[in-house]
Amino acid sequence: MTAVTSSVSNHPRFDAILFDCDGVLVDSEPIVNRLIWEMLIELGIDISLEDSIQRFLGKAIREELDAIAEMRGAPLPPNWLSTFQARRNVLLEAEVEAVPHIGHAIDVLSRLGLPMAVASGADRMKVELQLNRTGLIEHFQPTDVRIFSATEVARSKPAPDVYLLAASSLGVSPSRCLVIEDSPTGVTAGHAAGMTVLAYAGRNAPGPLIAAGAARTFTDMRELPELPELLA
């Protein structure tokens, strides 16, 4: 596919664009999904990589500890979560890259003049680590009003909390927010917040994304600025 040269309309349909982080801005999911699977195997849980991905994709591991203990049939070691986070951070610091062409998409969308923010179901340390590693942090400054994470809300995705916090902080109505997601869990969260969700299906099948409430799927970030849902 050739790169799109866009002259996006100055009459956008929305008042803010909210990006998920993992799988939308950064290609972290293969790295983290494999680590989750490896650490489940280390716990003695008999599960395939594919089943592990299906079970935990888009979910905050800290909210799945009881489920993992149930799968194991025994309590988790007391330091299991902190060990997971430390191993995760080392891998991401060394390996994570931006999703292909996301920088181009953000640059084009910035011509709309809308506030753009990150609304992630991950912890804030992970979000900022990845955005700094990939250089995408510059698109979401100042960070106090442009980065929102599960650290700041009571419930992570699929609950809508982080998206509602982002809209409130930006001073916009949820119904006037466009969400860019990539997992059924995240799409569910954006849809539950009353927002329009476009789903990047670069790695995940489009069917479950549509079933979760996505208005449309797309497979290349260069397509994003051209989608008709963006414009009034």
Side-chain angles (χ1 to χ4, degrees):
M1 177 177 179
T2 57
V4 174
T5 301
S6 174
S7 55
V8 290
S9 167
N10 59 358
H11 299 291
R13 178 180 161 193
F14 300 98
D15 294 333
I17 302 175
L18 308 178
F19 294 88
D20 177 41
C21 184
D22 295 283
V24 171
L25 298 176
V26 298
D27 194 17
S28 57
E29 289 181 335
I31 299 169
V32 176
N33 288 338
R34 181 165 290 277
L35 176 62
I36 292 170
W37 174 68
E38 289 175 354
M39 291 190 68
L40 294 179
I41 295 298
E42 291 168 7
L43 289 171
I45 298 171
D46 183 14
I47 188 171
S48 68
L49 176 59
E50 293 74 16
D51 287 344
S52 177
I53 292 171
Q54 184 175 12
R55 173 67 181 79
F56 296 105
L57 179 66
K59 296 181 180 179
I61 286 297
R62 70 184 178 283
E63 296 186 3
E64 300 295 321
L65 299 182
D66 288 345
I68 295 172
E70 184 176 349
M71 293 168 68
R72 187 189 191 206
L76 298 183
N79 63 342
W80 190 87
L81 179 60
S82 61
T83 300
F84 165 77
Q85 291 174 332
R87 289 171 63 175
R88 176 201 70 186
N89 291 350
V90 169
L91 289 172
L92 292 173
E93 185 65 54
E95 300 179 24
V96 74
E97 302 290 344
V99 166
H101 311 297
I102 186 61
H104 165 80
I106 293 173
D107 286 342
V108 175
L109 290 172
S110 68
R111 301 175 198 168
L112 292 169
L114 303 179
M116 294 187 290
V118 180
S120 174
D123 57 274
R124 192 176 187 90
M125 177 182 293
K126 180 187 180 189
V127 175
E128 293 189 353
L129 181 158
Q130 295 181 115
L131 295 181
N132 278 298
R133 150 86 182 178
T134 58
L136 292 172
I137 192 77
E138 66 186 49
H139 295 288
F140 303 101
Q141 301 285 8
T143 57
D144 58 337
V145 295
R146 295 296 173 88
I147 296 178
F148 305 92
S149 73
T151 303
E152 291 89 54
V153 294
R155 302 175 299 169
S156 189
K157 300 172 184 179
D161 299 27
V162 72
Y163 282 120
L164 295 174
L165 174 62
S168 174
S169 299
L170 294 172
V172 299
S173 169
S175 65
R176 296 282 297 174
C177 291
L178 176 68
V179 166
I180 314 301
E181 268 288 355
D182 75 305
S183 71
T185 299
V187 171
T188 298
H191 187 66
M195 301 176 180
T196 299
V197 184
L198 302 180
Y200 174 60
R203 287 191 178 275
N204 301 322
L209 298 171
I210 294 294
R216 179 188 292 265
T217 65
F218 61 101
T219 57
D220 190 307
M221 281 299 176
R222 290 170 291 187
E223 301 171 24
L224 175 56
E226 302 297 322
L227 296 181
E229 285 81 3
L230 281 166
L231 307 178

